[in-house]
Amino acid sequence: MSETIFSKILRKEIPAKIAHEDEWTMAFHDINPQAPVHLLIIPKKQISTLADVQEEDMPLIIHIHKVAQKLAEAMELEGWRIVVNVGEKGGQEVFHLHYHLLGWTKE
C-alpha cells in the first residue's frame, strides 16, 4: 500500500485534532467538516478500502464500530451516521480505509 496522508497522521508527522486513539485505531476531526461533528476513524492497520477487508480483519471492523458508538456517546450526539466511501467512483479520496462519523449535537 502506498503512503497516504493518514499514514503521516498516524506517525504524528502531520498534526491532527485527535479525538481518540487506542492500539487499533485513531479518530480525528476532519479538516473539511460536512456536519457539526465530523470525525474520521481509521485503523492503524493499512487497508486500502472496505472492499479489501479480509475475514481476519473482522475484529478490527467491529472495534471501529464500537469506537464510533463510544465517541457519539461521549460527544452527546443526538443523531449520527457512519459513511464509508469505497473506490474512486465511490468518492474515496484517501486510499486508507476510513469511516466518517457525522454527528449532530442536542440543541
Side-chain angles (χ1 to χ4, degrees), residues 3-89:
E3 180 82 358
T4 69
I5 191 168
F6 293 165
S7 303
K8 293 177 182 180
I9 290 172
L10 284 169
R11 291 193 306 266
K12 299 186 176 149
E13 294 171 0
I14 295 176
K17 185 176 174 188
I18 298 171
H20 170 86
E21 185 173 11
D22 62 35
E23 177 183 350
W24 289 0
T25 63
M26 179 184 282
F28 51 91
H29 293 264
D30 194 299
I31 61 170
N32 185 25
Q34 302 299 306
V37 174
H38 187 167
L39 300 176
L40 299 175
I41 305 170
I42 64 172
K44 289 185 174 179
K45 178 180 180 181
Q46 291 193 347
I47 302 170
S48 293
T49 74
L50 189 60
D52 297 312
V53 170
Q54 303 296 309
E55 184 69 30
E56 67 198 39
D57 298 319
M58 286 302 117
L60 173 60
I61 301 305
I62 292 167
H63 181 75
I64 290 170
H65 286 255
K66 288 181 180 178
V67 167
Q69 289 175 313
K70 288 178 184 177
L71 286 166
E73 182 179 323
M75 299 179 90
E76 298 181 344
L77 300 181
E78 186 171 29
W80 54 281
R81 66 181 178 204
I82 295 175
V83 176
V84 180
N85 300 320
V86 180
E88 190 174 324
K89 289 187 177 180

